[in-house]
Amino acid sequence: MSTIDNWRKSSYSGAGDGDSCVEIAHDHTQVAIRDSKNPAYATLSFPTKVFTTFVETLKGR
């Protein structure tokens, strides 16, 4: 992910729990995930198609 402004938190991150979630960033080819409490730590990165399939599978449960 090339720019920090690309990162966003879940809309479910409310007051009190806002630091206990993940942040996500994406471009046309990759999706990256990081811990919002430790944004300088390592990120997980997936091809966009793989991540989309993962999310759609979770929605179907």
Side-chain angles (χ1 to χ4, degrees):
M1 308 289 73
S2 57
T3 64
I4 196 89
D5 353 333
N6 225 0
W7 292 99
R8 61 185 173 89
K9 288 185 184 180
S10 166
S11 60
Y12 291 101
S13 297
D17 291 332
D19 289 335
S20 300
C21 66
V22 296
E23 295 175 320
I24 189 170
H26 64 88
D27 62 18
H28 297 292
T29 62
Q30 295 286 311
V31 174
I33 301 170
R34 69 181 182 186
D35 183 346
S36 64
K37 294 182 303 300
N38 297 305
Y41 286 15
T43 62
L44 298 173
S45 181
F46 305 94
T48 300
K49 185 173 179 169
V50 171
F51 188 76
T52 301
T53 301
F54 171 70
V55 170
E56 292 302 319
T57 301
L58 290 177
K59 287 180 180 180
R61 293 181 170 237

